[in-house]
Amino acid sequence: MSRQPKCLSVVHDDSYIEIPAPIGLVCEVLPRTAPQLPRVGGGTWQMQARHAPPDRWCWIGEQPELTGACFVFNARLIDAGVTTGARLHIAAALPRGGLPPWSTRQRVRKLLDAWAAAIAATASTAEPREGGRRDRGGDEPALDEPAAEGLSVLYPRTVAAFEAMGALSQLHSVAALDRRWAGIERGGSSPKLHHEARALPPSDQQWDLIYAGGGLGLLHALVMRQRYGYRVVLFDRGEVGQAHREWNLADEELRALVGPDLFAPEEIEHVVVHRHDRGVVRFHAGEIGVRAAELWMRGVLDVSLDAGELLRRTRQKFEQAGGQILDYQTFLGVEASREGVAVQIAGPDGQQQVLRGRLLLDGMGAISPLSLQRYGGHPFDGVCPTVGSIVSGLEPGVGSGLHDPTTGDILVSVADTQRGRQLIWEGFAGRDDQLTVYLFYYDRIHRAGARHALIELFEDYFTLLATYKRPGAGFRHHKPVYGFIPARHTERRVTARLLRGVLPIGDAAAQQSPLTFTGFGSHVRNLDRTTALLDYALRHDLLAPRWLAEIGAYQANVALHWVFSRFMQPWGRPNDVNRLQNVFARVLRELDDDVAERFFKDRMRWRDYGRIVNHTLAVYRPIIPTALAVLGPRDTLRWIADYLRFSRAALAAAAGRQISDAQWYALERLAELAQPGWRLVLSARRREWRVMGWLGDDASNA
C-alpha cells in the first residue's frame, strides 16, 4: 500500500556546461553516468531511461511508496565539434517532510552540480576514438618531437594538412615558436642581450639606423631610407621580406602607402587582391537567451593584400634606394652608449660581425628578446593565439557557412566555448575563389591553467573549419598562416622604460588594439607619424629613452580597448561570451553606423565611448554585475583610472582643436628654441590626434 505524502515541494533547476569531449564520445559515456538519487522517505528509487540520442537524454526516478514524488533529469547535448555543450535540467517533486523550501532547492542544486561534474569527469577520462587525440596535459612545452611522424600521433589532421600544402618545414617553425612561447609563459629568466657600455667595439661599417626583423620593419626602413636619406641596414634570421600572415586593412589606411617616396597608386593596386562591399560581426545565438544581433559595416578591414608581394616589392625598392639587407643573420646582442649602438649578429656558418649605428629598431615580433628583457620576461598582459590558412573550393553562396566574396567576416563565432576558449573566426577573400581564414581566441598570459600552443589550435582549426565554411568540390589548403599577437594593458604611453638605443616597432611594441589586433593597419596608419618623429629625433640627437618614448603607434583611444577584449574571454557558462557580444552588437547597431565604424577603425571618440557604455546599461541591466564578475575589483579600478586618463587625453585634444595649424606650428617653433625635446612632444601629440581622427571639422563632437 503506497504512502500518500501530505504535500510535495516542486523544484526546477538547470545548468549549462561544457564537456571536454566530442559529442560521439559523450554519447558513449553518458549512459554510464546516470544521476545518483538521494535517499528520501527510506524507499528505493526506480530509474527509467527514456533517451532519444544523440542529443536528448532523460532519466525518470520514482518511488512506489511516495505517490507523485519523482525526479526528472534531462540532458540536451549541443555539438561544438571538439567539445560538447550540455543543457542539464532537473525537475523534482519531493515531500517537504518539515524541511524549508530553500533546503529542498539546495539539495537539488547539489545534485545537479554533482551530476554535471560526473559527466564532465567521465567524458574527459574516456579513451578517445581511433583517429582522435587527447589533449596534452600539464605545463610541459608542446612539440618536443622534431619529426612529422612523432607529431602525427597527437595532431593527425594538422600534419596531413601541412604535408598536403608542402609546408612541413613551417610546421616545425610552429613547433619551435610554441616552445619559445611556453618558455616565456613559464616565467624563465629573460635573456640579457642588451648591455650599456661606456665605449662601443669597433666596426668596419657605420649606419644611422639598424633594423632587426624583416617584416613590418621593412616598410619603416624604406621610408627612412628613401624619404629621409638615412644610412639603413636591415637583417633577419630568415630571408627578409617573407610573411607568415596575410594582411587586411581599410582603404583609407592603404592610402598611407601611396606617395612619391613609397608606392605609386598602380603599384599598390597590384598587391590588392580583393575589396569586399561590407563586413559583419556575428556571434553565435544558439543558447544566449537574449535577442541576437548582427553588426554590418562598410569600410572596415575591407581590403585584402598579398602580403608576400607587398614585402617583395618593398625589399626591391629598399635595395634600389641604397639600403642594405642581410639575410639569415641571427641577433646575438646589442651594446648601447651615448654614442650609439653596436649590434652583434651571426650568419648560418657561425661567422659573427658587428654593426655600428645610432639606433637599433626592434622589429623582431611578439617574442622579441629585447622586449622580454625590457619587461623582465613578462612583456604582455594578453595574447591572441592565431592560426589559419588560405583556402579555395568552398561552397559559394550567400548565407551561413557559404563563401560570399562580397562580404568579409570581421569577428564571427559559430559555437559556444570549446575547451574553455571562445573561438572566433575571421575571413577575407583573396584572388579568384580564395579565402584567408583565421581562427583565434583571446586570453590572459597568467590566467590559472592557461596554455597557448599554436599546433593544438591548428588541430582544432582543421577539425572545425567545416563548421564555419563548407568545403565544396576541389577544396584545398594553399598556405598556413599563424602567430601569437600580443596585447598589454595600458592607457599609458610607456609601461616600462625603453632600453637605451632601442626603439620597438610592430608587434615588439604591441601598441595595436587589444581588441581588433590590427597590427598591420596600425603600423601603416601611423607610418608617416612614426617616421617623421624619428627623423626629428635623429636630427636633434634626441635618442635618450625619455624622448624615444614619444615615437610609436600608441593611440589613447585604442589602449582602453583592453576592457572590451576581456569580455571575449569566458568567465562562467559556455554561452557567456556569445550572450554579451550579441548585446554589444545590438548596442552598436542601435546607435549609428559611424560609431561602430569608428570603433573598429581605431578612431573612437570620447563621446562614442560614453554612448556605448550608457546604451549598454539601458539594454542589458545585468552588465554591471557581469562587469564586476569579469574584471574583479582590481581591474575595475584599473579601468576607472584608464577612463580618467582617456578623458584627460580627449580634453587635451579638444583644446588642441582650438589652435590652427599655423598657430600650432608657431608654438612648436617656440618650444624648439627652449628645448628641442619639447617640440618632439608637441608634434607627437598633434600627430596622434590626427591619426585618431580627433582633429578637423569631423571631430568637433569628439
Side-chain angles (χ1 to χ4, degrees):
M1 182 175 178
S2 65
R3 219 167 3 103
Q4 178 72 35
K6 294 181 179 180
C7 60
L8 296 174
S9 176
V10 180
V11 178
H12 295 265
D13 207 346
D14 64 82
S15 180
Y16 182 37
I17 65 170
E18 180 194 0
I19 305 174
I23 191 170
L25 186 58
V26 175
C27 289
E28 291 178 8
V29 303
L30 201 55
R32 305 200 302 267
T33 53
Q36 301 297 312
L37 297 179
R39 295 184 63 84
V40 178
T44 302
W45 291 97
Q46 297 178 358
M47 295 289 290
Q48 298 181 27
R50 298 180 180 176
H51 305 321
D55 57 342
R56 301 283 179 173
W57 300 78
C58 178
W59 291 264
I60 299 177
E62 296 177 318
Q63 270 199 47
E65 296 83 359
L66 298 175
T67 302
C70 68
F71 279 95
V72 179
F73 295 83
N74 282 290
R76 182 167 65 89
L77 302 185
I78 302 161
D79 187 1
V82 295
T83 62
T84 304
R87 175 69 74 180
L88 308 179
H89 180 79
I90 293 182
L94 300 173
R96 291 183 180 175
L99 293 175
W102 61 82
S103 178
T104 302
R105 183 171 298 278
Q106 190 176 38
R107 276 187 178 187
V108 171
R109 165 51 59 177
K110 289 182 178 179
L111 192 63
L112 181 64
D113 291 343
W115 186 38
I119 295 172
T122 304
S124 63
T125 56
E127 287 298 320
R129 290 180 171 182
E130 185 178 354
R133 70 177 174 90
R134 184 183 300 282
D135 289 340
R136 297 173 66 102
D139 296 325
E140 78 220 65
L143 305 179
D144 295 327
E145 307 91 345
E149 292 79 5
L151 300 179
S152 63
V153 175
L154 290 170
Y155 314 106
R157 292 181 177 89
T158 302
V159 172
F162 271 72
E163 188 172 17
M165 289 185 281
L168 284 179
S169 62
Q170 292 192 57
L171 182 59
H172 299 313
S173 297
V174 172
L177 182 57
D178 274 346
R179 287 194 293 271
R180 292 197 298 272
W181 188 266
I184 293 171
E185 295 204 30
R186 286 198 304 270
S189 58
S190 58
K192 304 298 182 183
L193 301 182
H194 175 279
H195 305 276
E196 294 195 27
R198 292 186 177 180
L200 298 178
S203 174
D204 295 334
Q205 301 183 73
Q206 183 77 24
W207 308 92
D208 294 310
L209 299 173
I210 303 170
Y211 284 79
L216 292 178
L218 187 55
L219 285 167
H220 204 277
L222 173 62
V223 176
M224 296 308 296
R225 174 59 197 167
Q226 188 156 289
R227 179 180 298 173
Y228 296 109
Y230 290 101
R231 296 168 297 170
V232 181
V233 62
L234 185 148
F235 68 89
D236 192 276
R237 65 183 175 190
E239 183 179 351
V240 172
Q242 299 298 307
H244 58 261
R245 294 208 299 261
E246 292 300 311
W247 294 329
N248 60 337
L249 74 174
D251 221 338
E252 60 190 71
E253 293 171 331
L254 182 64
R255 289 195 287 271
L257 294 177
V258 177
D261 300 318
L262 283 170
F263 296 95
E266 58 272 17
E267 289 181 294
I268 284 296
E269 288 304 313
H270 189 80
V271 302
V272 172
V273 296
H274 186 78
R275 284 184 172 87
H276 58 250
D277 298 334
R278 58 181 184 166
V280 64
V281 174
R282 180 193 300 118
F283 281 83
H284 184 56
E287 298 286 326
I288 58 176
V290 297
R291 187 195 314 171
E294 295 179 353
L295 183 63
W296 295 86
M297 294 173 289
R298 298 185 184 276
V300 176
L301 299 175
D302 57 340
V303 181
S304 307
L305 300 182
D306 184 336
E309 180 63 22
L310 175 62
L311 290 179
R312 283 191 291 272
R313 287 174 176 263
T314 304
R315 173 174 177 152
Q316 182 181 24
K317 282 180 172 290
F318 178 71
E319 291 181 310
Q320 289 175 348
Q324 183 169 341
I325 283 179
L326 303 174
D327 294 312
Y328 305 107
Q329 298 293 318
T330 301
F331 173 73
L332 299 180
V334 56
E335 293 185 50
S337 73
R338 295 185 180 276
E339 58 180 304
V341 294
V343 181
Q344 187 176 14
I345 59 177
D349 57 358
Q351 184 175 354
Q352 299 183 11
Q353 59 177 311
V354 175
L355 307 175
R356 283 279 300 270
R358 298 179 65 188
L359 188 67
L360 171 65
L361 287 99
D362 177 14
M364 290 185 284
I367 55 175
S368 161
L370 294 178
S371 286
L372 292 176
Q373 179 173 343
R374 176 185 170 198
Y375 284 92
H378 301 283
F380 314 119
D381 181 71
V383 65
C384 185
T386 302
V387 302
S389 64
I390 300 175
V391 302
S392 63
L394 297 168
E395 285 192 16
V398 178
S400 178
L402 301 178
H403 174 40
D404 177 11
T406 68
T407 299
D409 290 337
I410 300 172
L411 295 171
V412 171
S413 72
V414 297
D416 291 328
T417 59
Q418 290 150 297
R419 299 197 184 98
R421 308 162 303 176
Q422 181 58 65
L423 299 179
I424 300 173
W425 300 86
E426 178 186 5
F428 50 93
R431 289 192 172 95
D432 303 321
D433 69 335
Q434 291 185 353
L435 183 73
T436 296
V437 180
Y438 283 114
L439 177 65
F440 56 92
Y441 65 95
Y442 299 86
D443 206 356
R444 285 168 289 158
I445 294 293
H446 303 300
R447 179 178 60 85
R451 173 180 172 80
H452 310 107
L454 295 181
I455 197 162
E456 293 181 359
L457 187 57
F458 259 124
E459 187 71 7
D460 288 344
Y461 169 79
F462 293 116
T463 302
L464 297 172
L465 179 59
T467 67
Y468 167 62
K469 297 291 184 184
R470 295 204 293 269
F475 173 80
R476 60 173 295 201
H477 297 276
H478 295 269
K479 171 187 173 183
V481 288
Y482 57 90
F484 288 105
I485 305 177
R488 60 173 61 96
H489 162 266
T490 175
E491 181 57 27
R492 295 176 292 279
R493 191 166 302 274
V494 175
T495 55
R497 185 176 182 271
L498 293 177
L499 302 175
R500 177 174 291 278
V502 179
L503 178 64
I505 58 175
D507 283 350
Q511 290 180 322
Q512 68 272 16
S513 167
L515 174 63
T516 56
F517 287 118
T518 49
F520 176 67
S522 172
H523 185 75
V524 170
R525 183 191 323 126
N526 287 279
L527 190 59
D528 181 73
R529 166 191 172 190
T530 57
T531 53
L533 293 174
L534 179 56
D535 169 59
Y536 179 86
L538 288 165
R539 286 189 286 109
H540 293 81
D541 201 27
L542 298 172
L543 303 183
R546 61 169 297 199
W547 302 121
L548 290 180
E550 300 295 332
I551 305 172
Y554 170 88
Q555 295 180 208
N557 63 339
V558 164
L560 197 58
H561 282 1
W562 72 270
V563 176
F564 293 100
S565 71
R566 287 288 295 275
F567 294 105
M568 298 281 202
Q569 304 168 30
W571 61 87
R573 291 165 295 185
N575 58 348
D576 281 341
V577 172
N578 285 319
R579 175 190 293 113
L580 197 57
Q581 293 310 317
N582 273 277
V583 170
F584 185 54
R586 175 188 168 188
V587 166
L588 289 177
R589 193 176 68 182
E590 291 181 355
L591 292 175
D592 59 64
D593 293 342
D594 290 342
V595 172
E597 290 176 10
R598 284 195 296 267
F599 181 86
F600 280 94
K601 291 165 75 172
D602 294 345
R603 297 171 71 88
M604 183 180 66
R605 303 169 181 173
W606 183 84
R607 185 168 177 265
D608 293 339
Y609 194 85
R611 293 179 66 190
I612 291 170
V613 172
N614 289 333
H615 199 54
T616 304
L617 288 168
V619 303
Y620 189 66
R621 296 190 181 278
I623 187 60
I624 292 179
T626 299
L628 292 175
V630 172
L631 299 178
R634 178 172 174 266
D635 280 350
T636 299
L637 292 176
R638 293 169 78 181
W639 171 76
I640 293 172
D642 285 352
Y643 178 72
L644 293 175
R645 294 189 188 96
F646 176 56
S647 301
R648 184 179 62 189
L651 184 62
R657 285 195 298 273
Q658 308 307 311
I659 304 174
S660 68
D661 288 344
Q663 292 171 329
W664 191 273
Y665 178 74
L667 182 62
E668 287 184 1
R669 291 296 303 271
L670 289 174
E672 183 178 358
L673 293 174
Q675 163 57 263
W678 295 354
R679 180 172 185 177
L680 178 67
V681 174
L682 287 174
S683 181
R685 296 298 175 276
R686 188 78 166 180
R687 291 176 181 275
E688 178 188 354
W689 299 336
R690 194 173 301 282
V691 167
M692 295 190 299
W694 283 13
L695 292 182
D697 295 337
D698 62 333
S700 57
N701 294 321

